[in-house]
Amino acid sequence: METQSVDVLLSRPGIYIVVTAAALAFCEVDPDGRCHQLRPRDFARDGELRPGGWHLDQGATFYGPLARVPS
């Protein structure tokens, strides 16, 4: 799935690729709807991306979920 909506992203648990004009990143949405940044080298969680802290003025596209998180 491809979306530009954070609400859609947070409603479906799993691992996502986040693409912006300046960056490529990975995140994981857990079953509670929390979004965690993932380190690219080992996909370990590296902090929570809090609601209201998203800066999407230049646009971001989310691809996923690529894998489901166990519920």
Side-chain angles (χ1 to χ4, degrees):
M1 172 186 78
E2 174 185 335
T3 186
Q4 293 183 319
S5 169
V6 173
D7 293 332
V8 171
L9 171 85
L10 296 177
S11 72
R12 299 188 64 199
I15 294 175
Y16 290 82
I17 299 172
V18 182
V19 179
T20 69
L24 173 76
F26 300 93
C27 67
E28 177 181 16
V29 177
D30 67 22
D32 296 324
R34 292 183 308 233
C35 187
H36 306 272
Q37 179 176 322
L38 300 178
R39 291 191 307 237
R41 71 177 176 268
D42 59 5
F43 285 87
R45 289 182 178 178
D46 190 27
E48 185 175 345
L49 302 170
R50 301 248 181 207
W54 296 80
H55 300 285
L56 302 175
D57 47 337
Q58 295 186 7
T61 303
F62 308 103
Y63 296 94
L66 302 175
R68 287 275 181 202
V69 178
S71 18

